[in-house]
Amino acid sequence: MAGFVRRLPALLVALAMFLCCTVILMADGGIGLADNGDFRRVLAGNGLEVADKIDANYLYKRYYTMQLSGDTLWEQGVSLVRSYDNDTAYKSPHFLFVKASKVTNFVANVLVGRERDRYDVQHLGVLYALCLALAGYLIMRFLTGKSPWLQAFAALLLLVIFCDTGYIAYFQSFYGEALQYVALMLTVGAGLTLWRKPQSLAAVGLYLFSIYLFAGAKLANVPIAVLFLAVGTMLFFREKRPARRAICGVLAVGCLAGMILMMTDIPDWMSRDTNYQAVFYGVLRGSETPGKDLEELGIDSKYAVMANTNAYLANYPYDIHGEEFSADFHEQISKVRLALFYVKHPARLIEKCDIALKNSGAIRPVYLGNLPDARMTLTDRWSGWSMARQWLYTHDNARSMWVVLLIWGGALAFWAVCVLWRRKKADGGIKGCGCCMAAIGVLALLAGTATSWVLPFMSNGEADLAKHMFLFVHLTDLLMVASLIGVAMHISRANMKYYAMTAIAIVVCIGITSVIGWCNGAEVVSFGEWNGRELKWEQAGYTPDGATLLICTEAVDVRAFDTSNQYGENRWATADLREWLNGEFLDAFSDEERTMMVSAKTKAYLSNPFAYDAEEGTHAVYWSAMPTDQDGQDAYVEQTEDLVSLPTISQYNKGGWSRGGRYWLSDPYGGNDTMVRCAWDGYAVFADGSTEWAVRPMIAVMRGEGK
């Protein structure tokens, strides 16, 4: 009974985490993540197909159809765990969870009399939620016997941070990030259990199995998984009994062998696609010397014309699937060559690290819809930590976060090295020391964080970078929580001054950067009046004719971009919002103010469906959710001229004015004729033109002075 009472707080936290996840994910029709094209490889390999394919790229899909074979219940049940060969087939422990969810779906369907081939992705969400709850239980068990206030603090962090929708929205999808997330949490929980009870073979088994799952969820994780395996081996060998050590050693070797087998079994198409993107959408993206870069990588410079292209376009200057390109590129390039290129060019490495950091603000990608019935809509449900992270990591604060991460990581590394050095001087070794194992664990997390910072762009370029930075996001949050709990466990008057000095240094760095940003802010002027409210404007640049561009500091209205059909159209020249801004909204300005306003010419981008009216350009504008260059060179454009307009994606990316908030931009999403780009708290996402977003108008005046 006493043992149950000691475990009760951990059990309650685990139950709270499970209930939190299930309620967040399943209430009001459920939430999850839309498919960006990655689902096909998982669905095809597991005999699944989405029940309703309409808008699958913009909507979260809950229901799928399972492929069954056989006449009897048993035969159909056995067919659920079958793997299917196809052009995109590959092997992954991710499939274990998918197949398990197929079995639970099948059993539930039989029990309630539904169609046996019906698949509800919420079953997969429940499996992941159970794994996360188990990890939470193990973490809280490690704190058993500590102060109730410390346990309450840890429980709050687990619920607020690690149950945030940004993390758990992946549970109801077929992305490997969901398994990666719970596997890493289980690795942490099992590692803490081994720290406390090195004799537990169950903890050893869970630790090794979790590392295997973590490595297999995304094969780029294997280097980090090997690092965690090395730390685990040190934990195993704190066990004194030779027989137990031998068992642990055999299990560790088996785990390593499993990871090696996964690496050797990577499909050829996966290696070819990632290598292409690592070079043409990574090394060459934004490069001023693409031909020289290719020659340095051992590749013919004639392929420089394909710089800034990814591996999934319809047309290329060369046949990327032909034998010539295979011999010239795929047989020459390797991940080692790519790594060496960045080592030889540290400035390029820092530039890519900066881009990667900017992509690590949002936990879940801002370009994947979350709802089943509203296209490209992002939910704010239980997203407090997501919003806080997004505010901290917005593009305007990226340099600040460099400083904070380096100070914080340096402080943790210094503490860990000091602990190891003191122990080594004390008795000539570090084995068996709890504090030393904690220091080694911290160093392993730091090394994993650094590796996850650079691996995404080194191995896959900037393609889908926000999603590929998910591990970096998770590891930095783990390090932060570990730091907070560690400080809370060891805080005392004697060492309070060291914690206070570190905290003050971080706050000062953020403060200095913020002050610099405020000092560089644009001057606000008054110009016009709308609905009884004086309009405030700030400078946003100049026109080619020398007029000053001004953008309204606040939204003047909330309106649809266009309502010409169900979803609207994304062409600025014919948009209802353009007509309103240059018609009714002009009443906001007096006659004197109107004389100061001039028409500004704009090159408005066109999406693929409107390419027939393009005055120049060869392709639709490539898009990125990040405030970086949108690859507008050679994109389809048409000339427009307006007294009042909206900020373009180029102006938004260039900045120089307050970009916070959520409001329309004037440019289209290039892939269809309905979706328009819009600002979203520092990002540039897209939404159907018929939806209502805030309107921040832009005008050009001959003088940057108001009334």
Side-chain angles (χ1 to χ4, degrees):
M1 185 65 182
F4 175 77
V5 172
R6 284 196 302 272
R7 291 193 297 269
L8 186 59
L11 287 169
L12 290 176
V13 171
L15 178 61
M17 291 177 71
F18 176 75
L19 292 176
C20 186
C21 290
T22 52
V23 170
I24 292 169
L25 291 173
M26 299 175 190
D28 299 327
I31 59 173
L33 289 178
D35 179 13
N36 73 341
D38 285 353
F39 286 9
R40 61 188 173 87
R41 64 188 70 163
V42 179
L43 298 179
N46 289 278
L48 289 169
E49 186 175 345
V50 64
D52 176 12
K53 296 181 181 180
I54 298 175
D55 292 331
N57 292 335
Y58 309 124
L59 298 173
Y60 151 64
K61 296 294 184 179
R62 176 178 173 181
Y63 296 109
Y64 297 77
T65 302
M66 300 185 291
Q67 198 170 330
L68 298 176
S69 60
D71 299 321
T72 67
L73 199 64
W74 173 255
E75 290 173 339
Q76 292 178 349
V78 170
S79 72
L80 294 171
V81 296
R82 172 189 167 192
S83 294
Y84 296 82
D85 293 329
N86 56 82
D87 293 338
T88 59
Y90 73 110
K91 297 174 183 176
S92 170
H94 181 196
F95 293 179
L96 296 175
F97 283 75
V98 176
K99 294 182 191 302
S101 64
K102 288 173 65 180
V103 171
T104 60
N105 265 286
F106 183 73
V107 171
N109 293 341
V110 171
L111 290 176
V112 301
R114 285 194 297 256
E115 298 88 347
R116 293 180 183 178
D117 63 349
R118 180 178 181 266
Y119 179 91
D120 185 346
V121 77
Q122 289 190 348
H123 285 251
L124 185 60
V126 169
L127 290 179
Y128 286 133
L130 285 170
C131 290
L132 182 61
L134 174 59
Y137 170 78
L138 295 174
I139 293 170
M140 292 303 299
R141 278 286 287 154
F142 176 76
L143 298 174
T144 298
K146 304 295 183 182
S147 161
W149 289 106
L150 175 63
Q151 294 186 57
F153 178 57
L156 182 65
L157 292 176
L158 287 172
L159 288 166
V160 171
I161 295 178
F162 296 119
C163 291
D164 186 277
T165 299
Y167 282 120
I168 67 173
Y170 277 102
F171 290 3
Q172 299 198 152
S173 76
F174 293 99
Y175 294 114
E177 279 77 6
L179 177 59
Q180 171 187 282
Y181 178 63
V182 298
L184 183 53
M185 294 297 288
L186 285 170
T187 300
V188 171
L192 292 174
T193 303
L194 280 172
W195 186 3
R196 191 166 50 91
K197 297 171 60 178
Q199 73 279 8
S200 173
L201 282 179
V204 170
L206 179 60
Y207 186 85
L208 293 174
F209 185 58
S210 299
I211 287 179
Y212 175 76
L213 293 176
F214 171 74
K218 296 181 78 70
L219 294 176
N221 296 343
V222 170
I224 301 172
V226 171
L227 179 67
F228 292 158
L229 179 60
V231 174
T233 303
M234 298 182 69
L235 287 169
F236 304 157
F237 280 85
R238 294 174 69 207
E239 168 62 53
K240 305 298 183 184
R241 290 168 288 186
R244 288 288 185 102
R245 282 191 174 191
I247 293 173
C248 292
V250 170
L251 292 174
V253 170
C255 180
L256 181 60
M259 290 191 287
I260 293 173
L261 284 173
M262 283 193 294
M263 288 294 291
T264 58
D265 198 37
I266 296 176
D268 184 58
W269 65 264
M270 190 178 290
S271 296
R272 295 168 78 90
D273 286 359
T274 56
N275 283 339
Y276 184 95
Q277 300 196 148
V279 173
F280 295 100
Y281 210 65
V283 171
L284 302 190
R285 183 166 163 80
S287 171
E288 296 179 358
T289 57
K292 183 180 177 182
D293 294 343
L294 286 176
E295 289 176 355
E296 192 169 340
L297 289 167
I299 301 166
D300 195 323
S301 61
K302 70 181 183 181
Y303 296 115
V305 294
M306 297 195 296
N308 298 324
T309 63
N310 60 52
Y312 305 108
L313 301 179
N315 299 300
Y316 301 87
Y318 293 91
D319 180 9
I320 69 168
H321 304 292
E323 293 182 3
E324 180 185 5
F325 186 77
S326 180
D328 290 347
F329 178 77
H330 291 298
E331 294 179 14
Q332 307 301 322
I333 196 64
S334 69
K335 295 294 191 289
V336 174
R337 279 193 173 184
L338 285 163
L340 288 175
F341 178 89
Y342 284 111
V343 170
K344 294 176 183 177
H345 300 274
R348 300 279 289 278
L349 176 62
I350 292 173
E351 176 190 351
K352 295 298 181 182
C353 283
D354 193 44
I355 292 172
L357 184 63
K358 292 174 183 178
N359 276 273
S360 67
I363 301 175
R364 67 184 184 274
V366 296
Y367 49 83
L368 295 176
N370 300 143
L371 302 183
D373 52 5
R375 303 199 324 165
M376 261 309 301
T377 302
L378 308 173
T379 180
D380 288 333
R381 184 187 301 176
W382 197 259
S383 297
W385 179 240
S386 287
M387 293 178 181
R389 271 188 124 273
Q390 203 161 301
W391 177 78
L392 286 170
Y393 278 80
T394 54
H395 51 275
D396 293 322
N397 296 331
R399 299 302 190 282
S400 304
M401 294 314 301
W402 265 96
V403 177
V404 172
L405 286 173
L406 291 174
I407 291 177
W408 172 34
L412 287 173
F414 180 74
W415 170 82
V417 171
C418 286
V419 168
L420 296 173
W421 179 253
R422 283 200 303 267
R423 179 65 180 181
K424 191 174 189 300
K425 286 189 66 177
D427 61 3
I430 61 174
K431 278 200 305 185
C433 172
C435 271
C436 288
M437 293 310 302
I440 292 170
V442 166
L443 288 174
L445 281 176
L446 282 169
T449 303
T451 305
S452 66
W453 193 346
V454 300
L455 266 182
F457 62 79
M458 280 190 181
S459 62
N460 198 45
E462 295 178 39
D464 214 6
L465 189 55
K467 189 162 74 69
H468 294 157
M469 290 300 293
F470 182 74
L471 179 58
F472 174 79
V473 171
H474 188 192
L475 283 168
T476 52
D477 282 356
L478 275 174
L479 274 171
M480 182 198 66
V481 169
S483 303
L484 291 173
I485 293 177
V487 168
M489 288 176 66
H490 299 97
I491 198 164
S492 65
R493 291 186 180 181
N495 52 27
M496 173 68 81
K497 60 182 179 181
Y498 300 111
Y499 300 134
M501 288 170 61
T502 302
I504 289 171
I506 292 174
V507 170
V508 167
C509 289
I510 296 176
I512 290 174
T513 308
S514 299
V515 169
I516 292 173
W518 290 332
C519 291
N520 291 335
E523 179 185 358
V524 174
V525 298
S526 298
F527 197 89
E529 183 178 294
W530 183 252
N531 287 337
R533 178 166 56 93
E534 192 176 58
L535 298 180
K536 303 289 185 180
W537 306 76
E538 57 182 314
Q539 185 173 319
Y542 298 93
T543 68
D545 298 329
T548 302
L549 285 171
L550 299 176
I551 185 168
C552 201
T553 58
E554 297 179 352
V556 298
D557 204 344
V558 176
R559 303 180 69 90
F561 186 87
D562 185 73
T563 57
S564 57
N565 55 50
Q566 180 183 0
Y567 297 121
E569 291 187 348
N570 58 15
R571 187 175 181 179
W572 170 246
T574 59
D576 294 344
L577 187 53
R578 181 189 184 215
E579 182 180 349
W580 179 79
L581 286 171
N582 289 276
E584 182 181 344
F585 181 69
L586 291 177
D587 293 340
F589 308 104
S590 66
D591 292 340
E592 181 183 354
E593 290 168 336
R594 288 282 296 275
T595 62
M596 298 170 62
M597 297 170 61
V598 296
S599 297
K601 295 180 180 179
T602 304
K603 284 187 175 182
Y605 290 128
L606 290 172
S607 59
N608 275 320
F610 296 113
Y612 57 84
D613 271 341
E615 298 172 23
E616 57 183 89
T618 58
H619 59 80
V621 62
Y622 301 143
W623 93 279
S624 167
M626 296 309 302
T628 55
D629 179 17
Q630 299 290 294
D631 293 331
Q633 185 177 4
D634 298 326
Y636 298 133
V637 294
E638 65 178 338
Q639 292 281 351
T640 61
E641 187 171 350
D642 303 290
L643 279 174
V644 186
S645 62
L646 296 176
T648 66
I649 190 68
S650 299
Q651 291 165 334
Y652 180 69
N653 293 332
K654 185 178 179 181
W657 42 277
S658 304
R659 291 178 288 187
R662 304 179 182 184
Y663 47 89
W664 286 118
L665 303 175
S666 64
D667 292 316
Y669 166 65
N672 60 39
D673 61 353
T674 66
M675 291 185 169
V676 186
R677 303 300 298 277
C678 29
W680 194 78
D681 298 338
Y683 295 88
V685 298
F686 49 88
D688 283 318
S690 60
T691 57
E692 293 189 343
W693 282 65
V695 179
R696 287 185 66 182
M698 180 175 278
I699 59 175
V701 296
M702 289 307 299
R703 299 197 311 265
E705 303 173 359
K707 59 186 179 184

